[in-house]
Amino acid sequence: MPGLNHVTGVTLSNMKNLTHFVQIIDRQTIAVTVVALICTYVCLRFGIIVDLPFELVAVAIVFPIVFTISSAFQRREGALAELAEFRANLMAMFLAHRDWHRSDDRSPHVRTQLRKLHEAVRDSVQRRDPATTRIVYGLFSNLSLEQETMRTRGRVSTSELARLNQYLRNTIANFEKLRNVADYRTPIALRAYTQVFLNVFPVLFAPYFALVSSQGWWPLGYVMAILYSLVLVGLDNIQEGLENPFDGLGIDDIQFDGIDEDAWFESAAPLTSVSIEQHTPIAEAQAH
């Protein structure tokens, strides 16, 4: 039933979106909202009513948060591009060691080294400690020695060895760029400025919310206080989630351990024509 499947898919999508929305609500969101409500009540009680320009919110809070969100997202996208190139270089090195000289096949050993390198890079950008970084450089050194072994045994030509060294150099560059994303953040002064105004916001704009309540339906001022607190602190939490794409805390973090992230490590043998035919869409449709 296509109609039922569509409705079910939409419902599941909405539930997922609601779950993601709830994840950006934390203790700071609740604290800012509660303070905004209390300050609004106090202003109403003592007649502190002021018509404040909301352009101040846009200039002092919204614009800096949106700027830092954009900057953090660009850093995340750059890290994804570097990670893709890093894995492509690992794959190229593996295939070169496997296919360029079959009489002395060391591809299983190289595959183990590449797997360890992938895991060490993951640990380095997630933990950000010198010990794991030294492990990464040690594995780079091991791979360089493997290529030197190919040269001394006359297994490859000079041009092929130069290409392998280029793969290794590119892999090291990818790792350094990933490290920079993990170690450095968006401007700290701008983040501090935004945090200060977020905490001052409930007190600063409480007289305006009190004005809204006094001019019409009285709960409206409290509703606006809640909505503005949720929007502003929610935007700040989105930025915090994007700030470090490797910490595993945000819903948009980069996943090193997905289902298919290291599928190429699982086999050192190329696909045969029979195995390829078994995985074509026609063969899969016939199997069902």
Side-chain angles (χ1 to χ4, degrees), residues 84-156:
E85 187 174 345
F86 172 76
R87 288 171 173 162
N89 286 319
L90 293 186
M91 184 66 174
M93 283 191 287
F94 168 69
L95 294 178
H97 281 275
R98 188 193 69 183
D99 298 337
W100 287 359
H101 199 291
R102 294 182 177 274
S103 61
D104 183 19
D105 186 13
R106 290 182 56 81
S107 63
H109 175 70
V110 173
R111 179 181 60 177
T112 301
Q113 293 292 313
L114 294 175
R115 179 191 284 274
K116 289 180 179 179
L117 177 59
H118 186 270
E119 294 172 352
V121 168
R122 175 200 62 196
D123 294 339
S124 178
V125 296
Q126 289 179 348
R127 300 176 186 173
R128 297 168 57 207
D129 66 290
T132 53
T133 302
R134 284 195 292 269
I135 292 174
V136 172
Y137 287 124
L139 291 167
F140 282 137
S141 177
N142 291 347
L143 290 172
S144 179
L145 290 174
E146 284 292 332
Q147 294 171 188
E148 179 64 15
T149 300
M150 295 177 71
R151 185 188 69 81
T152 56
R153 295 183 181 181
R155 295 169 56 187
V156 296

